[in-house]
Amino acid sequence: MHKPIVALIAALLASPAFSDTLIDRANGIQVGADGKLQHFTALLVGDDGKVLRVLGAGAARPKATTVIDAGGRTLLPGLIDAHGHVTELGFAALQLDLVGTSSLSDLQQRLRTYASAHPEARWIVGRGWNQELWPDKRFPTAADLDAIVPDRPVVLGRVDGHALVANSAAMKAAGVTPSTAAPAGGRIENGLFVDNAMSLMDKAVPPPTPAETDQALAKAQEILLGYGVTGVGSMSTTMDAWSAMRRAGEAGRLSVRMMVYADELKLLSAEPRPTPWLYGDRLRMVGIKFYADGALGSRGAWLKQPYADKPDTRGLQFHSDAEMLSLADTAASHGFQIATHAIGDAANAQIIGVYEKMSKKYGRDRRWRIEHFQIVDPADIPRIAPAGVIASMQPTHQTSDRLMAEKRLGPNRLAGAYAWQTVLKTGAKLAFGSDFPVESPNPFPGLSAAISRRDMSGQPPGGWLPRERVTFARALNAFTRDAAYAGFAEQKFGSLEPGKWADFIIVDRDPTSVDAQSLGRTEVLETWIGGKRLWAKPASASRPERGK
Ligand SMILES: [Zn+2]
């Protein structure tokens, strides 16, 4: 063989594949395996959409077919929301939106406008009101809705999803009369349905059609991409939502990576085992979500001591210890991960006890999750790390809830409230999310709250229980690496490393050089998943959805 040919072959073997893409001149920031911030300036992406190399400023640049000049803009790994409700986000965006209503009359005005704009709707369904934001803080009643829409059923969910208000037409359609008793774990008062009582109304609302669910899934993905969310823990996923996700996967319409948690045991007949990753690592049924209690706003959170502002109740216990253990054991015996909603300190103590037993039986790396982990007895927090329990928490719940939490608990029971730093100090894993659509899916107000314990208007000035702040590196880690870890996905995404997917975002500021409030206002310019740009901020466009 001639020498020049040998040299040519050697050169071909050494040169990168022809369709590699080099993203160069970026201000790249991510969290390394050591938990520290790592800076880089270029990313080489293979034609399979996975990262080939992460390059620092001084490193020689490999040849690539396509070179993209990031122009010094900041590049972060795609953000992962460990706990959201995907189709609910889409439905909420398509339904009557009551988020941010400032009074009952504001709610009534929005209802009037929506009803006249949608004469075709047989039922008017909305969500997002929060009476805590209203001057008199009174819960809305059926009569309040009858005054606006007397002739069609109206059902309006509270912002936390733990209460709804129905008008008389809706109650009539549901067969609810004044003598109807609330089911266990629920309450009915003047058209207000709390926790388990909501099922009386929910089952009367005509279910969405498959086409409507497809539309909601598409809408949700569009919103998430606009906020730089490239992966999500899809909580309490129903059979209808799972079917829509499968349809979208088959049709190539899944963009955001979904770590799916089924709604209790209802999907076991359809999916008796966790699925493998499907559709290019876009979809996986990984676990089952359970509920140990309700929410704090509607006094459904199960507390060890009575509510400070309603001393005749300790909230709602959903399951006995034996039932909770049996549910978890059933799910685990099918190989599923378990994610259990627990808000109150009694609910958290119960589920920690269950997980301690489970970890003895199944081992620690089952990554038992507690969703919210909001109000925890400080004595119970150190129990989670030894049992391999992950705290899946939502920083914007803290900023939204703090005044309400002070009322519900009084000043002396807040030591273990939204205790992110304490969780980390005890050596447990912390995953962050938003619980959208309860909160905005925008992760940046969450990052801001995480480092400041202040809301987007800077309140309260010194931060609420500021010892529970975490560093930016810890906050970013909880929104990337450990959010992926919390869904058994850390080998696939959550950081930009050779062999993992090139899921990243380009944003309009450097989060390490701005204050917390500016961090919260970060705008996403581009969202890339699997090495493809799937979203770019439209020139002079408004945000994809109102932020919080
Ligand atoms: Zn949730």
Side-chain angles (χ1 to χ4, degrees):
M1 200 180 275
H2 288 288
K3 268 186 186 165
I5 293 175
V6 173
L8 178 63
I9 289 169
L12 280 173
L13 288 174
S15 68
F18 284 109
S19 46
D20 293 352
T21 301
L22 182 73
I23 295 93
D24 205 354
R25 291 211 321 127
N27 173 34
I29 301 168
Q30 68 173 340
V31 181
D34 58 1
K36 297 200 174 97
L37 286 184
Q38 187 187 86
H39 297 266
F40 55 96
T41 56
L43 198 62
L44 184 67
V45 180
D47 65 348
D48 59 356
K50 291 183 176 167
V51 175
L52 287 171
R53 292 175 66 188
V54 180
L55 299 140
R61 295 304 190 243
K63 282 204 178 71
T65 312
T66 311
V67 177
I68 293 171
D69 185 347
R73 293 179 303 173
T74 295
L75 185 156
L76 304 171
L79 297 170
I80 299 166
D81 190 316
H83 180 126
H85 301 270
V86 176
T87 48
E88 286 84 347
L89 176 65
F91 282 124
L94 300 167
Q95 286 170 354
L96 170 56
D97 175 15
L98 299 169
V99 172
T101 44
S102 56
S103 63
L104 173 63
S105 58
D106 184 15
L107 176 146
Q108 288 174 316
Q109 182 54 45
R110 291 198 206 179
L111 173 58
R112 186 180 289 117
T113 305
Y114 188 91
S116 61
H118 294 87
E120 81 294 345
R122 286 175 302 135
W123 282 65
I124 294 175
V125 179
R127 65 164 302 283
W129 56 269
N130 180 0
Q131 85 293 344
E132 288 293 321
L133 305 177
W134 301 351
D136 60 359
K137 299 185 170 38
R138 174 174 74 77
F139 281 99
T141 65
D144 296 329
L145 309 189
D146 290 347
I148 310 300
V149 180
D151 51 339
R152 273 187 285 172
V154 177
V155 173
L156 307 177
R158 193 179 186 276
V159 67
D160 63 1
H162 286 267
L164 62 80
V165 60
N167 71 349
S168 298
M171 288 190 281
K172 190 174 170 212
V176 172
T177 68
S179 62
T180 302
R187 201 165 72 235
I188 308 174
E189 280 165 20
N190 301 323
L192 185 76
F193 294 72
V194 179
D195 282 314
N196 285 354
M198 295 193 300
S199 65
L200 295 172
M201 295 309 306
D202 287 340
K203 66 189 180 203
V205 179
T209 63
E212 286 167 343
T213 309
D214 290 347
Q215 200 189 351
L217 177 58
K219 182 75 185 172
Q221 292 190 88
E222 180 193 319
I223 293 169
L224 293 172
L225 290 176
Y227 285 128
V229 177
T230 59
V232 61
S234 167
M235 287 294 146
S236 307
T237 307
T238 63
M239 191 68 225
D240 287 348
W242 175 246
S243 301
M245 289 170 182
R246 295 296 301 253
R247 281 194 297 275
E250 297 292 337
R253 292 193 313 262
L254 269 187
S255 49
V256 176
R257 303 189 191 279
M258 312 250 179
M259 304 171 278
V260 175
Y261 296 79
D263 184 21
E264 308 209 311
L265 297 173
K266 291 165 210 154
L267 272 68
L268 265 192
S269 55
E271 300 291 352
R273 309 284 308 171
T275 69
W277 277 103
L278 304 165
Y279 317 119
D281 296 343
R282 290 308 213 278
L283 185 68
R284 182 178 182 223
M285 174 79 78
V286 61
I288 296 185
K289 161 95 178 287
F290 296 110
Y291 286 84
D293 67 348
L296 203 56
S298 48
R299 297 190 189 86
W302 175 30
L303 300 179
K304 291 187 175 185
Q305 301 297 326
Y307 278 82
D309 59 353
K310 203 167 190 295
D312 63 344
T313 182
R314 294 202 294 131
L316 303 170
Q317 175 180 359
F318 281 14
H319 302 288
S320 70
D321 294 358
E323 273 170 17
M324 197 72 244
L325 183 62
S326 158
L327 287 170
D329 194 40
T330 302
S333 69
H334 284 253
F336 286 107
Q337 191 188 9
I338 298 163
T340 306
H341 163 118
I343 303 250
D345 51 7
N348 276 285
Q350 180 192 51
I351 193 63
I352 292 168
V354 166
Y355 285 161
E356 284 170 340
K357 290 193 177 76
M358 299 283 289
S359 76
K360 286 201 183 80
K361 180 168 175 182
Y362 292 97
R364 287 185 75 234
D365 200 30
R366 299 296 292 261
R367 305 189 191 179
W368 321 109
R369 294 174 55 141
I370 299 182
E371 304 305 313
H372 311 307
F373 203 65
Q374 247 168 47
I375 309 299
V376 189
D377 185 332
D380 290 328
I381 298 177
R383 295 167 62 193
I384 68 171
V389 175
I390 298 166
S392 166
M393 302 177 74
Q394 299 75 30
T396 46
H397 279 342
Q398 182 269 303
T399 47
S400 298
D401 291 0
R402 66 184 171 88
L403 296 175
M404 180 268 288
E406 285 174 0
K407 278 199 221 94
R408 298 285 185 271
L409 297 161
N412 301 322
R413 286 194 282 162
L414 298 169
Y418 313 85
W420 313 317
Q421 184 62 254
T422 302
V423 165
L424 289 172
K425 274 194 191 136
T426 61
K429 291 264 190 194
L430 179 66
F432 275 159
S434 69
D435 202 12
F436 64 74
V438 176
E439 304 282 350
S440 164
N442 183 351
F444 289 95
L447 287 163
S448 170
I451 66 168
S452 70
R453 304 284 281 194
R454 281 182 289 156
D455 65 19
M456 289 297 290
S457 54
Q459 293 301 317
W464 190 76
L465 304 177
R467 65 176 182 277
E468 296 297 345
R469 280 190 297 239
V470 299
T471 62
F472 175 72
R474 292 290 213 169
L476 183 63
N477 189 55
F479 265 116
T480 53
R481 269 182 184 272
D482 282 356
Y485 177 90
F488 285 98
E490 76 278 9
Q491 304 296 330
K492 306 278 186 186
F493 51 87
S495 57
L496 298 163
E497 292 173 286
K500 297 190 190 180
W501 289 106
D503 298 352
F504 61 90
I505 61 177
I506 292 173
V507 297
D508 71 344
R509 66 199 74 187
D510 179 341
T512 64
S513 66
V514 296
D515 65 16
Q517 273 181 276
S518 174
L519 170 62
R521 287 192 296 270
T522 300
E523 294 212 20
V524 175
L525 305 175
E526 297 180 11
T527 301
W528 294 60
I529 297 182
K532 289 201 171 66
R533 188 171 60 195
L534 296 188
W535 187 88
K537 186 187 174 191
S540 81
S542 58
R543 303 299 300 265
E545 196 215 43
R546 188 175 56 240
K548 279 192 80 142

